[in-house]
Amino acid sequence: LCVFSSLQLVSLLLIGIAAWGIGFGLISSFRVVGVVIAVGVFLFFIALVGLIGAVKHHQVLLFFYMIILLLVFIVQFSVSCACLALNEEQQSELLEVGWNNTKSARTDIERNLNCCGFRVFYANETCAADCLRTLHCRPCAPIMEEYSGMVLRFVGGIGLFFSFTEILGVWLTYRYRNQKDPRANPSAFI
C-alpha cells in the first residue's frame, strides 16, 4: 500500500504544481498546464486501480496496474536520465529551439525573468518585461541557462528517485499478486 500512496503523492504533486503555476501567473500556456494535469490525473487513477486491486486481491486489476506501472517506470527513467545527461551546449540548443517555436512561453519568460530577446534584443521586437521602460534589459539566454541546469538536475534527480519506487512497486505487486487470497475458501484450492 505504501507504493500506491507514493504514486498518489506524485500525481497530486503534479496537479498541485500545475495549479500553482497557473494561479501565480508563472505559466500562461494552457496546453502545458493541461498536459501536466492530465498526467497527474492519469497517475492518480492508476494508483487507485492498484489500491482497489490490492484491497480486493483482484488479479486482473493488479496485472494491469503492474504493466502500466512498468511502462510509467520506463518512460520516467528515460526522461530522468535524459535530464541528467544534457550538457550545457545541448541545454542551450534546446532553449533556443523552444524560444523560437513558442510565442506564449517567450512572453512568460520575458515577463517573469525581466529580460528581452534571446541573445540580442532588437528595437522592432516586442517585449513583455518591465525593464523595457528603462531601456536596460538583459538578454534572456544567460538567465535561462542558469536556471535550466539547476532545474534539469532537480527534476532528473526527483524523477530518478520516484522511478525506483515504481520499479519496487512492480516487484511488490508481482509478489502480492502471486499470493493466495487469505479470504478465499481453503477447500476451493483442492
Side-chain angles (χ1 to χ4, degrees):
L1 295 176
C2 176
V3 175
F4 305 118
S5 62
S6 73
L7 193 59
Q8 286 177 332
L9 175 68
V10 170
S11 67
L12 292 176
L13 276 172
L14 282 173
I15 295 168
I17 288 171
W20 176 75
I22 199 103
F24 282 100
L26 299 174
I27 303 169
S28 67
S29 173
F30 288 110
R31 186 180 309 168
V32 171
V33 173
V35 168
V36 171
I37 289 176
V39 169
V41 169
F42 172 74
L43 289 177
F44 186 80
F45 282 124
I46 295 305
L48 199 60
V49 165
L51 188 62
I52 292 169
V55 169
K56 300 278 188 185
H57 206 83
H58 194 276
Q59 297 292 315
V60 175
L61 285 178
L62 287 173
F63 176 76
F64 281 116
Y65 173 75
M66 186 174 63
I67 296 300
I68 292 173
L69 195 60
L70 182 64
L71 294 174
V72 168
F73 162 77
I74 291 168
V75 169
Q76 188 171 342
F77 183 78
S78 302
V79 169
S80 298
C81 288
C83 285
L84 293 172
L86 285 175
N87 62 27
E88 289 182 17
E89 182 182 320
Q90 292 168 330
Q91 289 175 24
S92 180
E93 289 174 16
L94 189 63
L95 288 172
E96 190 166 5
V97 167
W99 181 269
N100 292 331
N101 290 329
T102 56
K103 177 78 173 146
S104 64
R106 185 182 317 165
T107 304
D108 288 343
I109 290 168
E110 288 176 340
R111 186 172 25 91
N112 291 325
L113 298 180
N114 202 22
C115 58
C116 287
F118 188 70
R119 297 244 184 247
V120 177
F121 178 67
Y122 299 105
N124 60 350
E125 294 179 358
T126 59
C127 181
D130 290 334
C131 67
L132 191 60
R133 293 185 195 130
T134 63
L135 298 174
H136 186 64
C137 291
R138 294 176 44 197
C140 295
I143 301 169
M144 288 172 30
E145 288 168 353
E146 176 186 332
Y147 284 120
S148 69
M150 180 181 59
V151 168
L152 283 173
R153 284 189 302 276
F154 179 75
V155 168
I158 295 292
L160 207 56
F161 171 76
F162 280 112
S163 68
F164 285 116
T165 63
E166 289 164 2
I167 200 66
L168 176 68
V170 170
W171 180 73
L172 289 173
T173 304
Y174 176 76
R175 297 280 306 215
Y176 183 73
R177 188 174 172 270
N178 290 329
Q179 290 179 350
K180 290 183 184 176
D181 188 357
R183 297 171 295 164
N185 183 4
S187 62
F189 295 109
I190 298 179

